[in-house]
Amino acid sequence: MKSRYIERKAELGKLRKRRAPEKTFKVLRDERARELARSRLCDEEEADPEPEKEEENRAMALAVVKEQQRRLQEALASKAAPSSEDSFAINELNLDSQVYWWHDKYRPRKPKYVNHVHTGYVWNKYNRTHCDHENPPPKFVQGYKFDIFYPDVVDKTKVPSFILEEDKDSESNNGESETCIIRFHAGPPYQDIAFRIVNKDWEYSHKNGSKCTFDGGILRLYFNFKRCPYRS
């Protein structure tokens, strides 16, 4: 038993001798890391100036830059200044001679249109008595259809409109003229356009009444006249 104890003690002594260099290396490494950390901290404290000094230095640098820019602008202005005001008109161009890409698109012009006149017969009691299909009664105007094209109107917020005006050249019958003028207005670049139509009362019923819409650059106005019953 005593010999085993001595052998075990000898083995522990050898193991301690082996581990001694490792412990020494770790201690030295930790001390070296601490020294490096202290040196970096000292360098940062020495490198960072005070905040007030930093602001003063920045303000002084900005003032110097502004002064240099001002002197440079004054020097350039003095060199580029003309000797007299008349020199500016030497290379002046005549702008009236230029042709722009939108010149033809927005020149004043009348709109294009497609119109239809709705005519027909009225088979009232008198016409049924005196006329037939072989000898029909005379046709009369029952309504109109107007399709006015405004694809390039400048003001897209305004809708084209129409008004009815008195026809001064029309013959009057019982104080009322037989025809009237319907005028369409849309604004630039389109000029107003007018047509002479029959002067009668318009029909406003849901089935056969008038219709006025503006969609896709086209103004559509469809209307029929009221039918007056025959009185014997």
mmCIF file of all heavy atoms in Angstrom, residues 61-95:
data_model
loop_
_atom_site.group_PDB
_atom_site.id
_atom_site.type_symbol
_atom_site.label_atom_id
_atom_site.label_comp_id
_atom_site.label_asym_id
_atom_site.label_seq_id
_atom_site.Cartn_x
_atom_site.Cartn_y
_atom_site.Cartn_z
ATOM 1 N N ALA A 61 -14.220 76.314 -39.953
ATOM 2 C CA ALA A 61 -14.022 75.734 -41.289
ATOM 3 C C ALA A 61 -15.146 76.127 -42.236
ATOM 4 O O ALA A 61 -14.923 76.458 -43.408
ATOM 5 C CB ALA A 61 -13.922 74.211 -41.181
ATOM 6 N N LEU A 62 -16.404 76.117 -41.725
ATOM 7 C CA LEU A 62 -17.549 76.509 -42.554
ATOM 8 C C LEU A 62 -17.458 77.973 -42.965
ATOM 9 O O LEU A 62 -17.756 78.339 -44.110
ATOM 10 C CB LEU A 62 -18.849 76.245 -41.787
ATOM 11 C CG LEU A 62 -20.148 76.503 -42.551
ATOM 12 C CD1 LEU A 62 -20.228 75.601 -43.782
ATOM 13 C CD2 LEU A 62 -21.350 76.246 -41.642
ATOM 14 N N ALA A 63 -17.030 78.824 -42.056
ATOM 15 C CA ALA A 63 -16.883 80.243 -42.386
ATOM 16 C C ALA A 63 -15.821 80.448 -43.452
ATOM 17 O O ALA A 63 -15.984 81.254 -44.378
ATOM 18 C CB ALA A 63 -16.539 81.030 -41.125
ATOM 19 N N VAL A 64 -14.726 79.715 -43.360
ATOM 20 C CA VAL A 64 -13.660 79.830 -44.359
ATOM 21 C C VAL A 64 -14.154 79.381 -45.734
ATOM 22 O O VAL A 64 -13.883 80.020 -46.763
ATOM 23 C CB VAL A 64 -12.437 79.005 -43.913
ATOM 24 C CG1 VAL A 64 -11.395 78.951 -45.028
ATOM 25 C CG2 VAL A 64 -11.824 79.612 -42.657
ATOM 26 N N VAL A 65 -14.903 78.282 -45.776
ATOM 27 C CA VAL A 65 -15.424 77.782 -47.049
ATOM 28 C C VAL A 65 -16.389 78.779 -47.677
ATOM 29 O O VAL A 65 -16.350 79.051 -48.889
ATOM 30 C CB VAL A 65 -16.108 76.412 -46.842
ATOM 31 C CG1 VAL A 65 -16.827 75.977 -48.115
ATOM 32 C CG2 VAL A 65 -15.072 75.365 -46.450
ATOM 33 N N LYS A 66 -17.291 79.371 -46.871
ATOM 34 C CA LYS A 66 -18.232 80.359 -47.397
ATOM 35 C C LYS A 66 -17.510 81.581 -47.937
ATOM 36 O O LYS A 66 -17.886 82.138 -48.987
ATOM 37 C CB LYS A 66 -19.217 80.764 -46.298
ATOM 38 C CG LYS A 66 -20.224 79.687 -45.956
ATOM 39 C CD LYS A 66 -21.214 80.191 -44.925
ATOM 40 C CE LYS A 66 -22.264 79.144 -44.622
ATOM 41 N NZ LYS A 66 -23.243 79.612 -43.603
ATOM 42 N N GLU A 67 -16.491 82.039 -47.242
ATOM 43 C CA GLU A 67 -15.740 83.197 -47.705
ATOM 44 C C GLU A 67 -15.033 82.890 -49.031
ATOM 45 O O GLU A 67 -15.013 83.725 -49.948
ATOM 46 C CB GLU A 67 -14.710 83.597 -46.637
ATOM 47 C CG GLU A 67 -13.901 84.830 -46.978
ATOM 48 C CD GLU A 67 -14.753 86.084 -47.069
ATOM 49 O OE1 GLU A 67 -15.866 86.077 -46.494
ATOM 50 O OE2 GLU A 67 -14.305 87.054 -47.706
ATOM 51 N N GLN A 68 -14.479 81.693 -49.156
ATOM 52 C CA GLN A 68 -13.841 81.322 -50.411
ATOM 53 C C GLN A 68 -14.850 81.247 -51.561
ATOM 54 O O GLN A 68 -14.568 81.700 -52.676
ATOM 55 C CB GLN A 68 -13.130 79.979 -50.247
ATOM 56 C CG GLN A 68 -11.914 80.021 -49.334
ATOM 57 C CD GLN A 68 -11.273 78.658 -49.160
ATOM 58 O OE1 GLN A 68 -11.817 77.655 -49.627
ATOM 59 N NE2 GLN A 68 -10.123 78.618 -48.477
ATOM 60 N N GLN A 69 -16.037 80.701 -51.302
ATOM 61 C CA GLN A 69 -17.072 80.640 -52.329
ATOM 62 C C GLN A 69 -17.520 82.034 -52.752
ATOM 63 O O GLN A 69 -17.745 82.307 -53.934
ATOM 64 C CB GLN A 69 -18.265 79.827 -51.826
ATOM 65 C CG GLN A 69 -17.989 78.346 -51.693
ATOM 66 C CD GLN A 69 -19.190 77.586 -51.178
ATOM 67 O OE1 GLN A 69 -20.188 78.190 -50.799
ATOM 68 N NE2 GLN A 69 -19.083 76.262 -51.134
ATOM 69 N N ARG A 70 -17.679 82.933 -51.780
ATOM 70 C CA ARG A 70 -18.097 84.296 -52.110
ATOM 71 C C ARG A 70 -17.072 84.990 -52.990
ATOM 72 O O ARG A 70 -17.416 85.641 -53.984
ATOM 73 C CB ARG A 70 -18.319 85.088 -50.822
ATOM 74 C CG ARG A 70 -18.859 86.498 -51.016
ATOM 75 C CD ARG A 70 -18.971 87.223 -49.698
ATOM 76 N NE ARG A 70 -17.654 87.433 -49.088
ATOM 77 C CZ ARG A 70 -16.822 88.428 -49.454
ATOM 78 N NH1 ARG A 70 -17.156 89.269 -50.421
ATOM 79 N NH2 ARG A 70 -15.656 88.562 -48.844
ATOM 80 N N ARG A 71 -15.787 84.856 -52.653
ATOM 81 C CA ARG A 71 -14.739 85.475 -53.458
ATOM 82 C C ARG A 71 -14.680 84.878 -54.859
ATOM 83 O O ARG A 71 -14.477 85.597 -55.848
ATOM 84 C CB ARG A 71 -13.388 85.296 -52.759
ATOM 85 C CG ARG A 71 -13.260 86.083 -51.453
ATOM 86 C CD ARG A 71 -11.892 85.852 -50.821
ATOM 87 N NE ARG A 71 -11.766 86.610 -49.567
ATOM 88 C CZ ARG A 71 -10.691 86.567 -48.784
ATOM 89 N NH1 ARG A 71 -9.636 85.815 -49.144
ATOM 90 N NH2 ARG A 71 -10.647 87.278 -47.669
ATOM 91 N N LEU A 72 -14.905 83.552 -54.954
ATOM 92 C CA LEU A 72 -14.892 82.912 -56.265
ATOM 93 C C LEU A 72 -16.055 83.408 -57.132
ATOM 94 O O LEU A 72 -15.890 83.678 -58.327
ATOM 95 C CB LEU A 72 -14.961 81.395 -56.098
ATOM 96 C CG LEU A 72 -14.944 80.555 -57.391
ATOM 97 C CD1 LEU A 72 -13.647 80.807 -58.160
ATOM 98 C CD2 LEU A 72 -15.102 79.081 -57.072
ATOM 99 N N GLN A 73 -17.262 83.542 -56.551
ATOM 100 C CA GLN A 73 -18.401 84.042 -57.302
ATOM 101 C C GLN A 73 -18.196 85.483 -57.758
ATOM 102 O O GLN A 73 -18.541 85.855 -58.886
ATOM 103 C CB GLN A 73 -19.667 83.938 -56.448
ATOM 104 C CG GLN A 73 -20.124 82.511 -56.218
ATOM 105 C CD GLN A 73 -21.307 82.431 -55.282
ATOM 106 O OE1 GLN A 73 -21.770 83.463 -54.793
ATOM 107 N NE2 GLN A 73 -21.780 81.223 -55.033
ATOM 108 N N GLU A 74 -17.610 86.322 -56.893
ATOM 109 C CA GLU A 74 -17.340 87.699 -57.287
ATOM 110 C C GLU A 74 -16.328 87.766 -58.424
ATOM 111 O O GLU A 74 -16.474 88.560 -59.362
ATOM 112 C CB GLU A 74 -16.817 88.480 -56.078
ATOM 113 C CG GLU A 74 -17.872 88.731 -55.007
ATOM 114 C CD GLU A 74 -17.297 89.475 -53.819
ATOM 115 O OE1 GLU A 74 -16.066 89.710 -53.817
ATOM 116 O OE2 GLU A 74 -18.074 89.822 -52.898
ATOM 117 N N ALA A 75 -15.308 86.914 -58.361
ATOM 118 C CA ALA A 75 -14.316 86.907 -59.432
ATOM 119 C C ALA A 75 -14.921 86.464 -60.756
ATOM 120 O O ALA A 75 -14.682 87.065 -61.809
ATOM 121 C CB ALA A 75 -13.147 86.000 -59.047
ATOM 122 N N LEU A 76 -15.779 85.406 -60.725
ATOM 123 C CA LEU A 76 -16.423 84.943 -61.953
ATOM 124 C C LEU A 76 -17.380 85.989 -62.514
ATOM 125 O O LEU A 76 -17.470 86.194 -63.721
ATOM 126 C CB LEU A 76 -17.173 83.629 -61.693
ATOM 127 C CG LEU A 76 -16.310 82.407 -61.370
ATOM 128 C CD1 LEU A 76 -17.188 81.217 -61.007
ATOM 129 C CD2 LEU A 76 -15.410 82.054 -62.546
ATOM 130 N N ALA A 77 -18.126 86.669 -61.631
ATOM 131 C CA ALA A 77 -19.069 87.690 -62.084
ATOM 132 C C ALA A 77 -18.342 88.866 -62.715
ATOM 133 O O ALA A 77 -18.787 89.423 -63.721
ATOM 134 C CB ALA A 77 -19.922 88.159 -60.911
ATOM 135 N N SER A 78 -17.219 89.250 -62.149
ATOM 136 C CA SER A 78 -16.469 90.373 -62.713
ATOM 137 C C SER A 78 -15.886 90.023 -64.076
ATOM 138 O O SER A 78 -15.802 90.859 -64.972
ATOM 139 C CB SER A 78 -15.353 90.782 -61.751
ATOM 140 O OG SER A 78 -14.440 89.694 -61.581
ATOM 141 N N LYS A 79 -15.489 88.751 -64.276
ATOM 142 C CA LYS A 79 -14.952 88.351 -65.572
ATOM 143 C C LYS A 79 -16.048 88.222 -66.620
ATOM 144 O O LYS A 79 -15.857 88.545 -67.776
ATOM 145 C CB LYS A 79 -14.209 87.023 -65.443
ATOM 146 C CG LYS A 79 -12.913 87.116 -64.652
ATOM 147 C CD LYS A 79 -12.231 85.757 -64.589
ATOM 148 C CE LYS A 79 -10.920 85.840 -63.802
ATOM 149 N NZ LYS A 79 -10.248 84.532 -63.706
ATOM 150 N N ALA A 80 -17.247 87.715 -66.215
ATOM 151 C CA ALA A 80 -18.327 87.481 -67.184
ATOM 152 C C ALA A 80 -19.191 88.689 -67.417
ATOM 153 O O ALA A 80 -20.089 88.653 -68.248
ATOM 154 C CB ALA A 80 -19.207 86.315 -66.704
ATOM 155 N N ALA A 81 -18.999 89.771 -66.697
ATOM 156 C CA ALA A 81 -19.846 90.948 -66.856
ATOM 157 C C ALA A 81 -19.636 91.564 -68.225
ATOM 158 O O ALA A 81 -18.509 91.765 -68.667
ATOM 159 C CB ALA A 81 -19.524 91.975 -65.767
ATOM 160 N N PRO A 82 -20.706 91.872 -68.974
ATOM 161 C CA PRO A 82 -20.549 92.467 -70.301
ATOM 162 C C PRO A 82 -20.145 93.923 -70.192
ATOM 163 O O PRO A 82 -20.396 94.600 -69.203
ATOM 164 C CB PRO A 82 -21.934 92.307 -70.926
ATOM 165 C CG PRO A 82 -22.861 92.289 -69.774
ATOM 166 C CD PRO A 82 -22.121 91.630 -68.647
ATOM 167 N N SER A 83 -19.550 94.408 -71.244
ATOM 168 C CA SER A 83 -19.118 95.802 -71.261
ATOM 169 C C SER A 83 -20.286 96.753 -71.386
ATOM 170 O O SER A 83 -20.233 97.874 -70.925
ATOM 171 C CB SER A 83 -18.132 96.017 -72.416
ATOM 172 O OG SER A 83 -18.752 95.683 -73.648
ATOM 173 N N SER A 84 -21.394 96.316 -72.034
ATOM 174 C CA SER A 84 -22.590 97.153 -72.178
ATOM 175 C C SER A 84 -23.807 96.259 -72.264
ATOM 176 O O SER A 84 -23.717 95.090 -72.590
ATOM 177 C CB SER A 84 -22.485 98.032 -73.431
ATOM 178 O OG SER A 84 -22.413 97.215 -74.587
ATOM 179 N N GLU A 85 -24.987 96.807 -72.045
ATOM 180 C CA GLU A 85 -26.228 96.016 -72.079
ATOM 181 C C GLU A 85 -26.603 95.617 -73.492
ATOM 182 O O GLU A 85 -27.328 94.667 -73.698
ATOM 183 C CB GLU A 85 -27.359 96.814 -71.435
ATOM 184 C CG GLU A 85 -27.161 97.037 -69.946
ATOM 185 C CD GLU A 85 -28.320 97.801 -69.346
ATOM 186 O OE1 GLU A 85 -29.198 98.186 -70.127
ATOM 187 O OE2 GLU A 85 -28.336 97.997 -68.127
ATOM 188 N N ASP A 86 -26.151 96.357 -74.505
ATOM 189 C CA ASP A 86 -26.519 96.044 -75.882
ATOM 190 C C ASP A 86 -25.938 94.723 -76.353
ATOM 191 O O ASP A 86 -26.411 94.151 -77.320
ATOM 192 C CB ASP A 86 -26.036 97.165 -76.813
ATOM 193 C CG ASP A 86 -26.735 98.483 -76.497
ATOM 194 O OD1 ASP A 86 -27.835 98.414 -75.923
ATOM 195 O OD2 ASP A 86 -26.180 99.552 -76.812
ATOM 196 N N SER A 87 -24.892 94.239 -75.709
ATOM 197 C CA SER A 87 -24.270 92.996 -76.164
ATOM 198 C C SER A 87 -25.179 91.791 -75.964
ATOM 199 O O SER A 87 -24.992 90.771 -76.607
ATOM 200 C CB SER A 87 -22.962 92.772 -75.411
ATOM 201 O OG SER A 87 -23.210 92.645 -74.019
ATOM 202 N N PHE A 88 -26.194 91.880 -75.085
ATOM 203 C CA PHE A 88 -27.091 90.748 -74.860
ATOM 204 C C PHE A 88 -27.985 90.493 -76.067
ATOM 205 O O PHE A 88 -28.484 89.396 -76.239
ATOM 206 C CB PHE A 88 -27.963 91.004 -73.630
ATOM 207 C CG PHE A 88 -27.239 90.803 -72.329
ATOM 208 C CD1 PHE A 88 -26.775 91.878 -71.604
ATOM 209 C CD2 PHE A 88 -27.000 89.537 -71.847
ATOM 210 C CE1 PHE A 88 -26.100 91.691 -70.411
ATOM 211 C CE2 PHE A 88 -26.323 89.342 -70.650
ATOM 212 C CZ PHE A 88 -25.870 90.424 -69.940
ATOM 213 N N ALA A 89 -28.235 91.476 -76.916
ATOM 214 C CA ALA A 89 -29.154 91.326 -78.044
ATOM 215 C C ALA A 89 -28.459 90.891 -79.323
ATOM 216 O O ALA A 89 -29.069 90.872 -80.375
ATOM 217 C CB ALA A 89 -29.888 92.649 -78.286
ATOM 218 N N ILE A 90 -27.176 90.510 -79.272
ATOM 219 C CA ILE A 90 -26.442 90.151 -80.490
ATOM 220 C C ILE A 90 -26.969 88.855 -81.078
ATOM 221 O O ILE A 90 -27.243 88.756 -82.266
ATOM 222 C CB ILE A 90 -24.939 90.046 -80.182
ATOM 223 C CG1 ILE A 90 -24.390 91.428 -79.806
ATOM 224 C CG2 ILE A 90 -24.192 89.479 -81.377
ATOM 225 C CD1 ILE A 90 -22.942 91.405 -79.396
ATOM 226 N N ASN A 91 -27.121 87.832 -80.217
ATOM 227 C CA ASN A 91 -27.537 86.511 -80.692
ATOM 228 C C ASN A 91 -29.003 86.227 -80.386
ATOM 229 O O ASN A 91 -29.387 85.083 -80.228
ATOM 230 C CB ASN A 91 -26.669 85.432 -80.050
ATOM 231 C CG ASN A 91 -25.216 85.571 -80.444
ATOM 232 O OD1 ASN A 91 -24.915 85.929 -81.578
ATOM 233 N ND2 ASN A 91 -24.319 85.278 -79.514
ATOM 234 N N GLU A 92 -29.825 87.239 -80.319
ATOM 235 C CA GLU A 92 -31.242 87.026 -80.011
ATOM 236 C C GLU A 92 -31.945 86.400 -81.203
ATOM 237 O O GLU A 92 -31.728 86.796 -82.360
ATOM 238 C CB GLU A 92 -31.903 88.360 -79.674
ATOM 239 C CG GLU A 92 -33.356 88.213 -79.227
ATOM 240 C CD GLU A 92 -33.972 89.543 -78.828
ATOM 241 O OE1 GLU A 92 -33.223 90.545 -78.849
ATOM 242 O OE2 GLU A 92 -35.162 89.558 -78.510
ATOM 243 N N LEU A 93 -32.806 85.383 -80.930
ATOM 244 C CA LEU A 93 -33.524 84.663 -81.974
ATOM 245 C C LEU A 93 -34.948 85.146 -82.069
ATOM 246 O O LEU A 93 -35.541 85.608 -81.083
ATOM 247 C CB LEU A 93 -33.511 83.159 -81.689
ATOM 248 C CG LEU A 93 -32.132 82.499 -81.616
ATOM 249 C CD1 LEU A 93 -32.282 81.035 -81.234
ATOM 250 C CD2 LEU A 93 -31.394 82.639 -82.929
ATOM 251 N N ASN A 94 -35.506 85.036 -83.228
ATOM 252 C CA ASN A 94 -36.899 85.398 -83.448
ATOM 253 C C ASN A 94 -37.774 84.211 -83.078
ATOM 254 O O ASN A 94 -37.876 83.238 -83.828
ATOM 255 C CB ASN A 94 -37.115 85.805 -84.906
ATOM 256 C CG ASN A 94 -38.530 86.317 -85.136
ATOM 257 O OD1 ASN A 94 -39.282 86.560 -84.190
ATOM 258 N ND2 ASN A 94 -38.892 86.494 -86.398
ATOM 259 N N LEU A 95 -38.388 84.245 -81.892
ATOM 260 C CA LEU A 95 -39.178 83.111 -81.412
ATOM 261 C C LEU A 95 -40.464 82.923 -82.205
ATOM 262 O O LEU A 95 -41.029 81.840 -82.212
ATOM 263 C CB LEU A 95 -39.506 83.302 -79.932
ATOM 264 C CG LEU A 95 -38.296 83.351 -78.991
ATOM 265 C CD1 LEU A 95 -38.759 83.552 -77.558
ATOM 266 C CD2 LEU A 95 -37.455 82.103 -79.101
#
